[in-house]
Amino acid sequence: MDVRFFAAAAAATGVEEQQVDLGLEPGPFTLAELSKLLITTFPASASASTPPLSELLTRCSFLVNEVSQRDLATELAPGDIVDVLPPFAGG
């Protein structure tokens, strides 16, 4: 699975993309489990001016294969692309 980070999420992780190998995870793997894994993988912010990912994820939206997913119980598959989108300001 490919996880892509945008805006503040990319600043917090220090990367724009991260591969996640679901072959290591037993049973169904959900957005909630992905969130926990990402918090463990990126415990501190890579940017002094950005909160850590653990704070950002509570406000982030997720796209799975370009479709908005609000249900954290959504099951993910190995070939999925998950976009992590923090709130955007502006207009």
Side-chain angles (χ1 to χ4, degrees):
M1 172 190 341
D2 189 22
V3 181
R4 301 185 301 189
F5 302 98
F6 294 86
T13 61
V15 298
E16 292 183 356
E17 216 167 300
Q18 176 79 18
Q19 292 291 318
V20 175
D21 184 3
L22 295 186
L24 303 175
E25 302 297 327
F29 193 75
T30 64
L31 272 177
E33 291 168 306
L34 176 62
S35 294
K36 290 177 191 174
L37 178 65
L38 294 175
I39 289 168
T40 302
T41 304
F42 302 102
S45 181
S47 168
S49 61
T50 305
L53 193 60
S54 59
E55 290 181 32
L56 290 174
L57 283 179
T58 61
R59 300 185 309 265
C60 284
S61 299
F62 297 94
L63 299 180
V64 178
N65 301 321
E66 300 182 6
V67 177
S68 179
Q69 294 294 334
R70 297 186 185 272
D71 184 1
L72 293 180
T74 299
E75 292 186 15
L76 302 170
D80 286 344
I81 297 173
V82 179
D83 294 329
V84 181
L85 305 168
F88 294 93

